[in-house]
């Protein structure tokens, strides 16, 4: 099962956001790696960007499941 990605990768995504806030060059350099981690945790779907806007061109979304963190049958996350 893939139920703890949001815990483990969430720390890295949060740290990247904190560093990126004071160092814009970090965001430019590492945005694709951070988006890969983010999509693994909570992919909004194949047609949306991380901001909820429609995707233009190829996207990482196709490589990750939609809502890996959520069990739709039970209605919550298993952690």
């Amino acid at each position: 099962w893939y139920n703890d990605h949001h815990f483990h990768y969430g720390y890295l995504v949060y740290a990247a956001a904190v560093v990126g806030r004071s160092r814009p060059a970090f965001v430019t350099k590492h945005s694709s790696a951070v988006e890969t981690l983010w999509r693994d945790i909570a992919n909004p779907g194949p047609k949306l960007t991380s901001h909820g806007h429609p995707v233009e061109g190829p996207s990482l979304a196709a490589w990750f499941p939609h809502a890996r963190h959520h069990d739709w049958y039970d209605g919550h996350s298993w952690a």
Side-chain angles (χ1 to χ4, degrees):
W1 292 95
Y2 298 103
N3 63 343
D4 285 342
H5 285 208
H6 57 290
F7 287 130
H8 304 298
Y9 295 162
Y11 291 119
L12 297 173
V13 173
Y14 179 77
V18 170
V19 171
R21 196 158 178 161
S22 62
R23 294 183 175 179
F26 178 87
V27 174
T28 303
K29 185 176 181 181
H30 299 289
S31 63
S32 62
V34 174
E35 183 180 358
T36 301
L37 290 172
W38 179 82
R39 286 209 178 262
D40 190 278
I41 297 169
N43 189 10
K47 303 292 184 192
L48 298 175
T49 67
S50 58
H51 301 290
H53 302 296
V55 171
E56 295 178 14
S59 169
L60 287 170
W63 294 96
F64 300 103
H66 176 66
R68 178 193 305 263
H69 66 286
H70 189 75
D71 185 334
W72 293 102
Y73 180 78
D74 284 327
H76 59 83
S77 174
W78 289 96

mmCIF file of all heavy atoms in Angstrom, residues 8-25:
data_model
loop_
_atom_site.group_PDB
_atom_site.id
_atom_site.type_symbol
_atom_site.label_atom_id
_atom_site.label_comp_id
_atom_site.label_asym_id
_atom_site.label_seq_id
_atom_site.Cartn_x
_atom_site.Cartn_y
_atom_site.Cartn_z
ATOM 1 N N HIS A 8 5.873 11.248 4.415
ATOM 2 C CA HIS A 8 7.303 11.293 4.121
ATOM 3 C C HIS A 8 7.658 12.372 3.100
ATOM 4 O O HIS A 8 8.571 13.167 3.323
ATOM 5 C CB HIS A 8 7.780 9.928 3.645
ATOM 6 C CG HIS A 8 7.470 8.831 4.609
ATOM 7 N ND1 HIS A 8 7.992 8.807 5.884
ATOM 8 C CD2 HIS A 8 6.677 7.753 4.507
ATOM 9 C CE1 HIS A 8 7.543 7.746 6.515
ATOM 10 N NE2 HIS A 8 6.740 7.082 5.706
ATOM 11 N N TYR A 9 6.963 12.401 1.986
ATOM 12 C CA TYR A 9 7.267 13.399 0.967
ATOM 13 C C TYR A 9 6.769 14.778 1.348
ATOM 14 O O TYR A 9 7.276 15.787 0.874
ATOM 15 C CB TYR A 9 6.671 12.995 -0.381
ATOM 16 C CG TYR A 9 7.252 11.732 -0.972
ATOM 17 C CD1 TYR A 9 6.580 11.051 -1.962
ATOM 18 C CD2 TYR A 9 8.469 11.219 -0.542
ATOM 19 C CE1 TYR A 9 7.097 9.894 -2.517
ATOM 20 C CE2 TYR A 9 8.987 10.067 -1.087
ATOM 21 C CZ TYR A 9 8.294 9.414 -2.082
ATOM 22 O OH TYR A 9 8.801 8.277 -2.635
ATOM 23 N N GLY A 10 5.773 14.830 2.207
ATOM 24 C CA GLY A 10 5.242 16.119 2.651
ATOM 25 C C GLY A 10 6.278 16.974 3.347
ATOM 26 O O GLY A 10 6.303 18.191 3.192
ATOM 27 N N TYR A 11 7.162 16.330 4.104
ATOM 28 C CA TYR A 11 8.242 17.079 4.755
ATOM 29 C C TYR A 11 9.153 17.736 3.718
ATOM 30 O O TYR A 11 9.575 18.877 3.881
ATOM 31 C CB TYR A 11 9.083 16.158 5.643
ATOM 32 C CG TYR A 11 8.356 15.654 6.857
ATOM 33 C CD1 TYR A 11 8.150 14.303 7.052
ATOM 34 C CD2 TYR A 11 7.882 16.537 7.823
ATOM 35 C CE1 TYR A 11 7.481 13.831 8.166
ATOM 36 C CE2 TYR A 11 7.214 16.085 8.944
ATOM 37 C CZ TYR A 11 7.025 14.725 9.116
ATOM 38 O OH TYR A 11 6.368 14.277 10.218
ATOM 39 N N LEU A 12 9.465 17.021 2.650
ATOM 40 C CA LEU A 12 10.339 17.569 1.607
ATOM 41 C C LEU A 12 9.653 18.702 0.852
ATOM 42 O O LEU A 12 10.280 19.722 0.547
ATOM 43 C CB LEU A 12 10.763 16.465 0.642
ATOM 44 C CG LEU A 12 11.586 15.338 1.253
ATOM 45 C CD1 LEU A 12 11.797 14.218 0.245
ATOM 46 C CD2 LEU A 12 12.920 15.856 1.753
ATOM 47 N N VAL A 13 8.388 18.532 0.543
ATOM 48 C CA VAL A 13 7.652 19.578 -0.175
ATOM 49 C C VAL A 13 7.533 20.831 0.694
ATOM 50 O O VAL A 13 7.714 21.955 0.219
ATOM 51 C CB VAL A 13 6.257 19.074 -0.613
ATOM 52 C CG1 VAL A 13 5.422 20.191 -1.194
ATOM 53 C CG2 VAL A 13 6.405 17.945 -1.617
ATOM 54 N N TYR A 14 7.261 20.647 1.977
ATOM 55 C CA TYR A 14 7.175 21.792 2.889
ATOM 56 C C TYR A 14 8.520 22.511 2.995
ATOM 57 O O TYR A 14 8.584 23.741 2.939
ATOM 58 C CB TYR A 14 6.711 21.338 4.273
ATOM 59 C CG TYR A 14 6.632 22.470 5.259
ATOM 60 C CD1 TYR A 14 5.572 23.361 5.219
ATOM 61 C CD2 TYR A 14 7.626 22.677 6.198
ATOM 62 C CE1 TYR A 14 5.498 24.418 6.109
ATOM 63 C CE2 TYR A 14 7.564 23.730 7.094
ATOM 64 C CZ TYR A 14 6.497 24.593 7.043
ATOM 65 O OH TYR A 14 6.430 25.642 7.910
ATOM 66 N N ALA A 15 9.592 21.748 3.133
ATOM 67 C CA ALA A 15 10.926 22.352 3.225
ATOM 68 C C ALA A 15 11.255 23.126 1.948
ATOM 69 O O ALA A 15 11.828 24.218 2.006
ATOM 70 C CB ALA A 15 11.975 21.282 3.484
ATOM 71 N N ALA A 16 10.894 22.579 0.802
ATOM 72 C CA ALA A 16 11.140 23.278 -0.461
ATOM 73 C C ALA A 16 10.351 24.579 -0.522
ATOM 74 O O ALA A 16 10.851 25.593 -1.024
ATOM 75 C CB ALA A 16 10.770 22.380 -1.636
ATOM 76 N N ALA A 17 9.137 24.580 0.008
ATOM 77 C CA ALA A 17 8.332 25.808 0.024
ATOM 78 C C ALA A 17 8.953 26.864 0.928
ATOM 79 O O ALA A 17 8.991 28.051 0.585
ATOM 80 C CB ALA A 17 6.911 25.495 0.481
ATOM 81 N N VAL A 18 9.470 26.440 2.069
ATOM 82 C CA VAL A 18 10.105 27.384 2.995
ATOM 83 C C VAL A 18 11.359 27.986 2.375
ATOM 84 O O VAL A 18 11.569 29.202 2.408
ATOM 85 C CB VAL A 18 10.422 26.695 4.342
ATOM 86 C CG1 VAL A 18 11.294 27.572 5.216
ATOM 87 C CG2 VAL A 18 9.140 26.331 5.068
ATOM 88 N N VAL A 19 12.200 27.143 1.787
ATOM 89 C CA VAL A 19 13.433 27.639 1.146
ATOM 90 C C VAL A 19 13.075 28.503 -0.061
ATOM 91 O O VAL A 19 13.661 29.569 -0.267
ATOM 92 C CB VAL A 19 14.344 26.465 0.723
ATOM 93 C CG1 VAL A 19 15.496 26.947 -0.128
ATOM 94 C CG2 VAL A 19 14.858 25.731 1.941
ATOM 95 N N GLY A 20 12.111 28.060 -0.855
ATOM 96 C CA GLY A 20 11.732 28.791 -2.061
ATOM 97 C C GLY A 20 11.167 30.170 -1.786
ATOM 98 O O GLY A 20 11.253 31.058 -2.628
ATOM 99 N N ARG A 21 10.621 30.342 -0.608
ATOM 100 C CA ARG A 21 10.068 31.653 -0.262
ATOM 101 C C ARG A 21 11.152 32.723 -0.154
ATOM 102 O O ARG A 21 10.932 33.883 -0.482
ATOM 103 C CB ARG A 21 9.319 31.536 1.049
ATOM 104 C CG ARG A 21 8.438 32.663 1.284
ATOM 105 C CD ARG A 21 7.365 32.353 2.224
ATOM 106 N NE ARG A 21 6.663 33.612 2.339
ATOM 107 C CZ ARG A 21 5.476 33.768 2.764
ATOM 108 N NH1 ARG A 21 4.803 32.732 3.148
ATOM 109 N NH2 ARG A 21 4.936 34.944 2.828
ATOM 110 N N SER A 22 12.326 32.336 0.310
ATOM 111 C CA SER A 22 13.412 33.312 0.443
ATOM 112 C C SER A 22 14.445 33.217 -0.676
ATOM 113 O O SER A 22 15.283 34.108 -0.808
ATOM 114 C CB SER A 22 14.112 33.135 1.793
ATOM 115 O OG SER A 22 14.695 31.852 1.874
ATOM 116 N N ARG A 23 14.377 32.152 -1.467
ATOM 117 C CA ARG A 23 15.327 31.976 -2.566
ATOM 118 C C ARG A 23 14.588 31.612 -3.852
ATOM 119 O O ARG A 23 14.444 30.430 -4.176
ATOM 120 C CB ARG A 23 16.327 30.879 -2.229
ATOM 121 C CG ARG A 23 17.224 31.227 -1.090
ATOM 122 C CD ARG A 23 18.217 30.137 -0.876
ATOM 123 N NE ARG A 23 19.161 30.522 0.140
ATOM 124 C CZ ARG A 23 20.135 29.745 0.539
ATOM 125 N NH1 ARG A 23 20.296 28.564 0.017
ATOM 126 N NH2 ARG A 23 20.960 30.163 1.471
ATOM 127 N N PRO A 24 14.147 32.581 -4.610
ATOM 128 C CA PRO A 24 13.413 32.292 -5.850
ATOM 129 C C PRO A 24 14.212 31.445 -6.851
ATOM 130 O O PRO A 24 13.620 30.687 -7.619
ATOM 131 C CB PRO A 24 13.124 33.680 -6.425
ATOM 132 C CG PRO A 24 13.191 34.604 -5.257
ATOM 133 C CD PRO A 24 14.205 34.009 -4.322
ATOM 134 N N ALA A 25 15.524 31.543 -6.832
ATOM 135 C CA ALA A 25 16.347 30.739 -7.745
ATOM 136 C C ALA A 25 16.194 29.245 -7.434
ATOM 137 O O ALA A 25 16.279 28.406 -8.336
ATOM 138 C CB ALA A 25 17.809 31.155 -7.650
#
